[in-house]
Amino acid sequence: MIPRVTATVDLSALTHNLGIVRKLAPRSRVMAAVKADAYGHGAVPVSRALEQAGVDALAVACLEEAMSLRQARIQAPIALLEGVISGEEAAQAVYEQLQIVVHDHWQIELLERLPDSARLTLWFKLDSGMHRLGFPLADVPRLREVLARHPLWRFAGWITHLACADEPDNPFTREQISRFEAALEGVPGPRSIANSAGLIAWPQTRVDWVRPGLMLYGCSPLPQVSAAALGLRPAMRLESRIIAVREYAAGEGIGYGLSFRCPERMRIGVVAIGYADGMHRAFGNGTPVMVRGRRAYLAGRVSMDMITVDLREVPDAAVGDPVLLWGEGLPAEEIAGWAGTLSYELFCGLTQRVRFRYR
Ligand SMILES: *Cc1c(COP(=O)(O)O)cnc(C)c1O
């Protein structure tokens, strides 16, 4: 049986992209973000590849994600970016030797009530201006007292997160960095600031630890800079096939609402992928796909299981031809723009109907 929609993940591209991170930040340790099923690429195979490539740590959102990695015998240090939400979770995190990113005082109380917290490893997350998670910077002295009270706790370091790192002209990033550094002046412990955009666009964020996510999957986090210009290779190729080709006269409408009108006699291909596979319904007429190495363009609405494409640029296209939705030569970042979103969301939106293959 030929799968309808396949996402082929090239694990060597991930390793290559990790190499780009290492080149940019040679003195930093690397914590790779593999949350959300490794941005939809498959957390276990991706983590295994990164672990083999010598990544220093992995980062997930929550305990469940970490547990599935531990069950797959991933041994690398794993950080829980949102920390823990109950005493039970805290106990399990300690048992599995997970690193807990602590962002609030109630979490400290949970940890202090653990019967055995001796092997606990924690980060403290500081809010330097994004105002999502993190302690106010003024809490640093109190947090140092917490550490002093618990000499057996292992302190991994201080984390902050940047709100505008993907905007190279936005001075707020510099502001966040200087607030963070000022609050930690003379305070011991490793620092971590950068996500992908930070580590590419703001060299001063390449401190003790960097935390790339998106760029490891081969996408550029910066709207003005392509992944290719950064030397990144896309890790995923999403493909389906043409299942019908028909010719219509000028003026005929295509698909739901007839939202595309043929401007001339032309061929339309039907491709077996729809929003039930993760093609956003917001993709409009003109969104590119690739057939036989050339671009064809979405013509008509995305439906649940199918899309229709204008084949005028690919006159030899035929039933059975593979169709590339994104991947090498058709960056997911560019495609995402056609749905008013980011490649992050395209990847995370793939559904269980998509067959994954690893190379
Ligand atoms: C997801 C995440 C990252 C990685 O972000 P990218 O933009 O994908 O590089 C880094 N740090 C934190 C706290 C995150 O939640």
Side-chain angles (χ1 to χ4, degrees):
M1 207 166 54
I2 302 173
R4 265 173 88 255
V5 181
T6 42
T8 308
V9 177
D10 178 356
L11 296 171
S12 73
L14 278 158
T15 315
H16 167 85
N17 297 334
L18 178 62
I20 301 280
V21 171
R22 295 270 189 218
K23 227 178 266 169
L24 283 170
R27 281 178 295 278
S28 305
R29 277 175 288 172
V30 178
M31 177 187 285
V34 295
K35 62 196 181 196
D37 199 26
Y39 294 39
H41 289 63
V44 169
V46 164
S47 300
R48 220 173 254 147
L50 291 171
E51 185 173 48
Q52 274 167 18
V55 80
D56 302 289
L58 301 167
V60 297
C62 58
L63 183 67
E64 261 185 311
E65 291 183 342
M67 292 303 293
S68 61
L69 295 182
R70 284 287 184 253
Q71 275 151 20
R73 306 198 186 290
I74 306 286
Q75 323 244 304
I78 302 176
L80 301 174
L81 291 173
E82 292 177 4
V84 289
I85 53 169
S86 67
E88 259 178 322
E89 276 203 11
Q92 194 159 13
V94 172
Y95 180 76
E96 295 290 347
Q97 303 192 358
L98 304 174
Q99 303 184 349
I100 304 175
V101 179
V102 175
H103 58 79
D104 204 341
H105 293 286
W106 63 263
Q107 291 180 316
I108 295 175
E109 285 159 26
L110 276 184
L111 299 178
E112 289 186 321
R113 284 200 299 269
L114 283 176
D116 172 22
S117 64
R119 291 184 312 145
L120 178 76
T121 303
L122 78 166
W123 294 83
F124 279 135
K125 181 157 189 171
L126 301 178
D127 175 13
S128 57
M130 181 164 174
H131 299 338
R132 197 177 57 179
L133 286 183
F135 293 95
L137 295 170
D139 285 2
V140 168
R142 271 176 78 189
L143 297 173
R144 295 184 70 183
E145 284 165 24
V146 170
L147 295 177
R149 271 205 308 277
H150 300 282
L152 291 180
W153 288 6
R154 292 184 203 150
F155 184 56
W158 307 92
I159 285 187
T160 196
H161 197 46
L162 301 171
C164 309
D166 57 341
E167 301 168 23
D169 300 323
N170 193 327
F172 193 64
T173 300
R174 202 166 288 118
E175 175 70 25
Q176 280 194 273
I177 297 166
S178 61
R179 286 183 194 170
F180 182 68
E181 281 172 354
L184 292 176
E185 181 147 21
V187 176
R191 272 74 159 152
S192 177
I193 303 172
N195 57 359
S196 300
L199 109 87
I200 293 168
W202 303 89
Q204 63 272 52
T205 67
R206 300 168 191 160
V207 293
D208 301 295
W209 283 86
V210 292
R211 308 187 308 271
L214 191 71
M215 68 183 292
L216 292 172
Y217 306 98
C219 286
S220 169
L222 304 173
Q224 314 81 338
V225 186
S226 72
L230 296 166
L232 299 170
R233 279 171 43 198
M236 185 192 289
R237 196 171 78 219
L238 186 71
E239 281 172 309
S240 182
R241 279 173 194 281
I242 297 182
I243 58 170
V245 176
R246 299 268 189 281
E247 193 166 304
Y248 298 107
E252 293 295 322
I254 308 294
Y256 284 120
L258 308 178
S259 75
F260 178 83
R261 291 277 168 188
C262 297
E264 58 185 319
R265 172 165 281 279
M266 60 184 283
R267 295 196 320 149
I268 294 284
V270 180
V271 182
I273 185 168
Y275 57 76
D277 303 284
M279 276 305 274
H280 284 225
R281 195 171 168 282
F283 283 123
N285 288 331
T287 305
V289 302
M290 200 126 80
V291 186
R292 298 195 178 212
R294 273 160 290 159
R295 287 186 171 205
Y297 301 92
L298 201 68
R301 296 251 163 86
V302 173
S303 45
M304 188 182 285
D305 311 312
M306 285 171 262
I307 56 173
T308 37
V309 298
D310 171 352
L311 290 176
R312 282 177 292 176
E313 304 286 330
V314 199
D316 50 344
V319 168
D321 280 358
V323 177
L324 181 71
L325 287 314
W326 60 71
E328 193 90 55
L330 199 60
E333 304 91 300
E334 178 191 339
I335 301 304
W338 286 87
T341 185
L342 300 172
S343 54
Y344 295 86
E345 198 185 7
L346 289 191
F347 295 145
C348 293
L350 294 177
T351 69
Q352 57 189 14
R353 201 160 71 178
V354 175
R355 182 85 64 85
F356 275 76
R357 282 200 299 231
Y358 293 91
R359 285 202 329 204

